[in-house]
Amino acid sequence: MKTIDLHGYKHSEIPGLMQEFVSLYDPPFRIITGNSAPIQQIVFKILKKGDFLFYNESDYNLGSFIVIKG
């Protein structure tokens, strides 16, 4: 499964990285945001705009999401 790990990127870099990633790869794919609420908000906004469905990968890792197209 394709994965993008957003650890270490500036908040301003994330929209461009996400736009490129979702345009290159078809779901399902994984997005690792870590536990940063601001990064998750940026990612969720982009995913919702693209009508993607997503869920936490597990109950114990709240910073990793699996994305599917609805």
Side-chain angles (χ1 to χ4, degrees):
M1 179 181 310
K2 293 292 182 185
T3 300
I4 184 169
D5 186 345
L6 298 174
H7 284 106
Y9 288 100
K10 295 178 184 175
H11 293 177
S12 61
E13 296 174 305
I14 292 173
L17 290 168
M18 283 297 302
Q19 292 290 0
E20 182 178 356
F21 187 81
V22 300
S23 69
L24 288 175
Y25 301 107
D26 292 326
F29 50 78
R30 177 182 293 113
I31 300 174
I32 301 172
T33 63
N35 292 324
S36 169
I39 291 176
Q40 289 177 357
Q41 289 174 352
I42 294 166
V43 169
F44 296 166
K45 183 178 178 181
I46 292 166
L47 293 175
K48 288 177 183 177
K49 187 175 181 179
D51 291 327
F52 289 99
L53 300 176
F54 56 94
Y55 59 90
N56 282 96
E57 184 169 9
S58 69
D59 292 336
Y60 62 88
N61 186 356
L62 301 179
S64 181
F65 300 88
I66 302 297
V67 178
I68 57 175
K69 183 72 171 173

